[in-house]
Amino acid sequence: MAAKLKKGDEVIVLAGKDKGKKGTIQSVDPKAGKAVVEGINVAIRATRQSQTSQGGRIPKPMPIQLSNLSLVDANGKPTRVGFKIEGDKKVRFAKTTGDVIDA
């Protein structure tokens, strides 16, 4: 299946403890169906001090299920993603506004 959400997309969380928050996708794991979003689903991880880095309690964004994320359209509202053929290219578009996402 084609990727509806990609790295760098602005998304909003639909469900979970961070419901309603917005962020940018840092990475996507299509096999597991999860994505890491900046500032969303943050866990505190304790790390040991090393010569290169300071130890302590470090916040780390954890993966969130793709079904709990929705793309943000031009109006700032959540939208579903569709696909259409423009010329000879397959492009993503926002279902609410009909705007093409990637040009």
Side-chain angles (χ1 to χ4, degrees):
M1 191 178 121
K4 294 189 180 220
L5 297 174
K6 295 181 179 180
K7 180 180 175 178
D9 284 348
E10 179 79 19
V11 293
I12 190 166
V13 181
L14 300 175
K17 66 177 185 179
D18 293 321
K19 181 178 179 177
K21 290 186 181 176
K22 293 181 183 177
T24 306
I25 295 181
Q26 291 178 332
S27 67
V28 180
D29 181 7
K31 201 166 206 165
K34 295 187 177 223
V36 176
V37 182
E38 175 187 341
I40 305 294
N41 198 23
V42 177
I44 304 294
R45 291 285 173 250
T47 58
R48 250 177 219 278
Q49 184 176 356
S50 68
Q51 286 186 338
T52 57
S53 64
Q54 182 72 27
R57 296 163 45 101
I58 296 172
K60 179 183 179 193
M62 302 302 284
I64 187 169
Q65 197 71 31
L66 286 174
S67 63
N68 294 334
L69 299 174
S70 183
L71 195 73
V72 176
D73 65 2
N75 304 330
K77 302 270 191 214
T79 181
R80 293 181 299 166
V81 178
F83 293 96
K84 63 183 175 183
I85 305 293
E86 274 195 357
D88 57 345
K89 289 186 75 177
K90 183 178 180 182
V91 294
R92 298 185 299 159
F93 73 98
K95 294 251 184 157
T96 54
T97 60
D99 296 339
V100 173
I101 298 163
D102 14 49

